[in-house]
């Protein structure tokens, strides 16, 4: 498949005429062909009009139709073959193995949501039977199912050009819920986006779905992105990116005539607590694991461990020294974009200027334009607690070790941090009391709590929570990874005394969809098929 | 129990010193003793500090403890006996039977949530087992449960002085979820609020819970209410009231350093579609049912039928004439407050001034200060579609009949209305095609769709949705009535490789809480006890 620089609007391939841009190869800091045409307002309106037209048909496709659609998208992405991987490598600086793994995850996500759709548990089918003889008043027949919210705007992430981009987790879960999707492609991987966008477009045609089920626009976030979120057609937003970008969309969505939910996954420094027993049992191995996690993918993960907290002790000093040494061995890696690289070096400069923060070690440099040198810093808890700037995420392979004088101060640091995607504890049995004292605070701060692991690496399954209190996300009630991500794009509707021929299948007496249902307060399992 | 004009702050009884106010008897438009002291900022801070202190303990009370607490609140309300009913009658103008019924509903809600808590399904307990041998990477042990969001601010409704006030649905569902609650009592029933507030306070003591589990403040919404919603301690808001009030809280919550969810139930005109077959089968009975629903409780229900839509025909004209005649027989009723009465008469005056809107009939007048005269209007669909002012809810016994020239115009009206709590269809089998054509639009517009009934009367059960798209509520993903209301105050947390002695009970292998759990993607029913 050829990359032409064109957008996907329904079943049309459209060249944007508002302006043009080329993708950048960050390893050379040089543009790549071809030229991409960016959308103007007219293209946003067309995509929204098509999504609106598609909505009532698409949301009532059968569960099987929607599951097959998601699987077809997966197949069409796989069919792009090495064209996709090569373009993604050129645009992002990420290595082949990582991108092939990410493609596997993307396909896996689509297939998980196909399973979630077929199960139908997301419909929350609930029946309270009529009680015509109840005194003083009879109870009517009441039935509840969830329906799709409406067309969803998705903003892809720079750091997951496949798994959290055009056909990534937000798109997969919104499509699974029955919502048409309009993607605003990320400028960091335009060609990759075009390829995947066309693969989804083809799946729409393959499955004979309404063309407005999917569109993908090129354009900048401040204009086209904001315009999209402001459109009355759009009923929810999925976003993965910077805190500033996410907060801007939250404000736009809240200021609309009809406010809509925004699911923005934004900013997290992912504190790691290393407890005394764990340090004693194997501080050097912990240090190596931490540095590997920190520098993996040039530190460009939402769950990158940007903060390590321990109690001042010889063992913690040993850990710190081992981490510093391990970091020095790490080579420089190419960051995703010149902008991200600039923000990283700016963050490092700010850290260097903060009183009480000491540079422990740096990774290798290589002199290439967008290559990031890893960095490890240290400060005392007192400095940490009094310096709000240390809360800010520095996106990249940089972390700060915080030294606490006692357990009370460690707890104070835990209470002090902002909302997080993850919080990690390294502990052995002897640390149980400290770990237990930390746990209630960590539950309030983070969407996922890990023991004896590092936070990078997010399993796509039913029990995953990739979410957390603000500013980790805009909505701590949700997750953007895992089966529950579908819940973000649904709302309940109650049907009272609706005649059986007009009832949705999920709520019909015969249970033709074989759903687990809550009937008169009792959860009944799905009938055997 | 004596009414003293004092607030409940934890286990203290506190006289507010910011200013004073007396309750009003709307049937006489005259103040009632005693004088109430209103809260200043210091009392807000104290209540918030206590709630924060209580949170970690209260949210981890056992399911049984929390269920018993809710039942104790119910018992303590019942124990207030006639003192409560008499005070509520004096403050609201509502009759004894209605208030006794509402007390029954309030107690029933508390008991339903006790059952919901004991069931534990709201915890969404989910386990994905470790797969240590999976290639290329092992899967860790991942477990999910929901935890309480944090302290919740509840704003009671004027029109349900018991069921949606101090110990109403928002409070019951937030307490059930494990959230401490701070109520801002509604000025329309201060003495009723004090009595119920003290009953809850006593239940906190009876159950030996932390005192900050519950507080109740007197104060005005613009100052004390906004201050409360702005407090960093508060993590969610429940509100039932006017659109202006709800939108103001939404804006405050969105502008916080940490934005929080607001569940505001605000404004709905509850369209009723009367289809040709139903009119032919019994238009006169429909008209009487409609007028009874419209004027019940002086029209002061969120689900009051404020809009009736039919196709121009002799049968519709017969319905309209019968409704007009039935309305004339309705006596004037005392509205809840002088302010609500003034808003109602203002709304009627605005309607009288709108070109194309005709007054069909009025109910009886009685000359008493806050008594509302019912009113029925009519207009053509063309006028309705071109007059945005006709979308505004007039809170009280006033409705507008919209005449459509054909089915297409009826569908246009359905698409035109804003988000609603309910949409009603009167239909017989012969109307199936029109009803089927309306249904997808009604699903998008309303939280509950009723056939052959009237929307007033909201069943408290599992399948109920008392919610709907903006402006009916601020968050169409939720309901404020029924078992699912608890979901509003929860967020998921994932536990990865957490040692068994630190795992919450809901997620322990032995399943000590006997929960239904989703294990490796399969829903397993609760073990038999």
């Amino acid at each position: 498949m050829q990359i032409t620089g064109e957008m996907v609007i329904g079943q049309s391939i459209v060249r944007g005429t508002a302006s043009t841009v080329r993708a950048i190869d960050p390893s050379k800091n040089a543009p790549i062909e071809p030229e991409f045409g960016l959308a103007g307002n007219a293209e946003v309106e067309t995509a929204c009009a098509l999504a609106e037209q598609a909505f009532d048909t698409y949301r009532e496709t059968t569960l099987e139709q929607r599951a097959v659609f998601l699987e077809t998208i997966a197949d069409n992405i796989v069919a792009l073959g090495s064209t996709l991987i090569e373009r993604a490598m050129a645009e992002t600086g990420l290595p082949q193995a990582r991108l092939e793994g990410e493609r596997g995850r993307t396909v896996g996500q689509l297939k998980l949501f196909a399973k979630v759709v077929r199960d139908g548990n997301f419909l929350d089918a609930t029946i309270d039977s009529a009680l015509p003889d109840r005194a003083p008043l009879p109870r009517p027949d009441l039935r509840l199912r969830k329906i799709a919210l409406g067309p969803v705007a998705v903003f892809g992430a720079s750091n997951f050009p496949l798994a959290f981009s055009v056909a990534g987790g937000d798109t997969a879960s919104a499509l699974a819920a029955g919502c048409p999707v309009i993607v605003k492609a990320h400028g960091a991987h335009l060609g990759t986006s075009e390829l995947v966008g066309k693969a989804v477009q083809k799946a729409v045609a393959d499955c004979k779905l309404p063309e407005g089920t999917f569109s993908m626009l090129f354009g900048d976030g401040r204009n086209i992105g904001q315009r999209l979120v402001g459109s009355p057609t759009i009923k929810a937003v999925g976003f993965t990116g910077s805190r500033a970008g996410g907060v801007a969309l939250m404000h736009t969505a809240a200021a609309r005539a009809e406010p809509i939910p925004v699911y923005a996954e934004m900013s997290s420094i992912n504190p790691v607590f290393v407890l005394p027993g764990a340090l004693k049992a194997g501080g050097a191995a912990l240090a190596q694991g931490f540095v590997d996690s920190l520098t993996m993918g040039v530190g460009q993960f939402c769950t990158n461990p940007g903060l390590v907290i321990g109690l001042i002790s010889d063992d913690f000093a040993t850990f710190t020294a081992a981490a510093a040494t391990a970091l020095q061995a790490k080579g420089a890696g190419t960051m995703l974009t010149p902008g991200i690289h600039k923000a990283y070096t700016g963050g490092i400069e700010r850290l260097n200027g903060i009183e009480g923060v000491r540079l422990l070690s740096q990774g290798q440099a290589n002199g290439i334009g967008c290559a990031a040198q890893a960095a490890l810093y240290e400060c005392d808890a007192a400095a940490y607690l009094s310096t709000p700037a240390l809360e800010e995420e520095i996106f990249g392979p940089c972390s700060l070790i915080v030294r606490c004088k006692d357990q009370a101060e460690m707890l104070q640091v835990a209470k002090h941090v902002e909302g997080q995607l993850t919080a990690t504890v390294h502990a052995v049995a002897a640390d149980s009391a400290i770990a237990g004292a930390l746990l209630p605070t960590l539950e309030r701060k983070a969407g996922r709590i890990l023991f004896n692991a590092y936070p990078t690496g997010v399993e796509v399954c039913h029990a995953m929570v990739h979410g957390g209190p603000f500013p980790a996300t805009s909505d701590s009630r949700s997750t953007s990874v895992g089966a529950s991500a579908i819940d973000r794009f649904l709302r309940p509707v109650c049907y009272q005394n609706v005649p059986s021929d007009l009832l949705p299948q999920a709520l019909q007496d015969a249970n033709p969809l074989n759903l687990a249902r809550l009937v008169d307060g009792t959860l009944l399992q799905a009938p055997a098929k």
Side-chain angles (χ1 to χ4, degrees), chain A:
Chain A
M1 191 183 280
Q2 196 85 41
I3 296 170
T4 62
E6 293 165 301
M7 301 181 286
V8 168
I9 300 184
Q11 283 299 309
S12 302
I13 297 291
V14 176
R15 173 160 295 279
T17 55
S19 59
T20 60
V21 70
R22 279 186 179 75
I24 302 285
D25 177 343
S27 71
K28 302 179 184 132
N29 220 337
I32 323 175
E33 293 303 320
E35 199 170 65
F36 288 79
L38 301 187
N41 293 337
E43 285 94 346
V44 175
E45 303 308 319
T46 306
C48 287
L50 287 173
E52 172 60 32
Q53 282 168 34
F55 178 49
D56 277 333
T57 305
Y58 180 64
R59 73 183 171 95
E60 290 299 338
T61 47
T62 65
L63 299 181
E64 183 60 23
Q65 281 176 308
R66 239 181 293 155
V68 168
F69 173 46
L70 293 167
E71 289 163 345
T72 306
I73 295 172
D75 292 344
N76 291 355
I77 290 171
V78 171
L80 292 168
S82 60
T83 307
L84 178 66
I85 301 298
E86 283 157 17
R87 177 74 192 194
M89 287 169 68
E91 289 184 326
T92 65
L94 295 171
Q96 182 175 347
R98 149 70 197 270
L99 287 165
E100 286 175 351
E102 191 181 327
R103 179 177 58 190
R105 175 173 160 177
T106 308
V107 165
Q109 285 176 162
L110 288 158
K111 290 184 174 170
L112 173 70
F113 283 110
K115 180 184 176 326
V116 166
V117 170
R118 283 198 181 93
D119 284 349
N121 291 335
F122 71 97
L123 295 166
D124 274 0
T126 303
I127 298 176
D128 287 319
S129 313
L131 300 172
D133 300 326
R134 188 183 65 172
L137 287 173
R139 181 168 84 179
D141 180 279
L142 291 155
R143 299 173 188 234
L144 176 155
R145 70 159 177 169
K146 288 199 170 162
I147 71 168
L149 272 183
V152 171
V154 170
F155 293 75
S158 62
N159 62 337
F160 279 96
L162 300 173
F164 260 78
S165 189
V166 176
D170 284 339
T171 297
S173 54
L175 290 175
C179 299
V181 167
I182 303 176
V183 171
K184 208 291 283 171
H186 199 291
H189 48 270
L190 292 165
T192 307
S193 296
E194 184 188 319
L195 290 169
V196 176
K198 287 176 175 172
V200 181
Q201 183 187 48
K202 181 171 179 301
V204 171
D206 292 344
C207 297
K208 301 187 172 54
L209 296 171
E211 64 166 330
T213 300
F214 178 80
S215 292
M216 183 201 64
L217 304 171
F218 299 131
D220 74 301
R222 281 199 192 126
N223 294 309
I224 292 311
Q226 290 286 349
R227 180 94 181 188
L228 190 56
V229 172
S231 165
T233 297
I234 297 298
K235 300 300 183 195
V237 178
F239 169 90
T240 306
S242 70
R243 182 168 177 170
V247 167
L249 293 182
M250 288 169 70
H251 287 157
T252 300
R256 287 168 47 122
E258 178 197 15
I260 56 172
V262 172
Y263 302 102
E265 193 259 87
M266 296 180 286
S267 166
S268 186
I269 55 175
N270 304 295
V272 175
F273 295 83
V274 287
L275 302 189
L279 286 173
K280 191 168 294 300
L286 284 189
Q288 186 64 52
F290 156 62
V291 169
D292 290 348
S293 173
L294 174 66
T295 55
M296 184 164 64
V298 203
Q300 300 168 115
F301 289 109
C302 322
T303 53
N304 202 48
L307 197 69
V308 179
I309 303 107
L311 300 177
I312 295 169
S313 66
D314 289 348
D315 289 333
F316 192 41
T318 304
F319 166 89
T320 301
T325 303
L327 191 92
Q328 279 170 342
K330 294 288 180 185
T334 299
M335 297 196 87
L336 292 156
T337 70
I340 287 172
H341 180 257
K342 192 176 162 199
Y344 178 70
T345 53
I348 294 289
E349 272 166 37
R350 277 200 313 280
L351 263 188
N352 286 333
I354 294 177
E355 176 107 10
V357 175
R358 296 171 293 281
L359 177 66
L360 287 175
S361 79
Q362 287 183 287
Q364 305 294 304
N366 74 4
I368 291 174
C370 294
Q373 200 176 356
L376 187 61
Y377 292 83
E378 177 184 66
C379 73
D380 291 338
Y384 186 76
L385 293 168
S386 61
T387 313
L390 293 176
E391 281 290 299
E392 286 168 29
E393 181 184 17
I394 297 174
F395 191 71
C398 166
S399 194
L400 174 65
I401 293 178
V402 176
R403 293 153 35 95
C404 303
K405 58 180 195 290
D406 55 23
Q407 194 183 320
E409 199 173 55
M410 179 179 267
L411 193 56
Q412 218 180 329
V413 171
K415 285 184 200 276
H416 174 80
V417 298
E418 293 185 297
Q420 304 290 341
L421 293 170
T422 69
T424 299
V425 179
H426 283 279
V428 295
D431 297 313
S432 195
I434 313 186
L438 276 171
L439 206 50
T441 298
L442 302 187
E443 285 174 329
R444 291 174 65 170
K445 291 291 180 179
R448 179 164 56 113
I449 297 167
L450 307 83
F451 270 65
N452 301 324
Y454 284 100
T456 44
V458 179
E459 184 73 28
V460 181
C461 61
H462 291 84
M464 178 49 63
V465 178
H466 190 66
F470 185 89
T473 79
S474 54
D475 190 335
S476 71
R477 297 163 295 174
S478 65
T479 174
S480 60
V481 175
S484 310
I486 193 174
D487 298 337
R488 300 177 298 167
F489 302 113
L490 297 163
R491 48 173 278 261
V493 174
C494 172
Y495 301 80
Q496 180 173 329
N497 289 343
V498 172
S500 53
D501 61 319
L502 292 174
L503 268 180
Q505 282 197 313
L507 300 178
Q508 291 172 4
D509 285 337
N511 196 6
L513 301 183
N514 281 297
L515 302 174
R517 306 199 286 196
L518 188 71
V519 178
D520 296 326
T522 300
L523 190 60
L524 303 185
Q525 273 181 302
K529 295 193 192 187

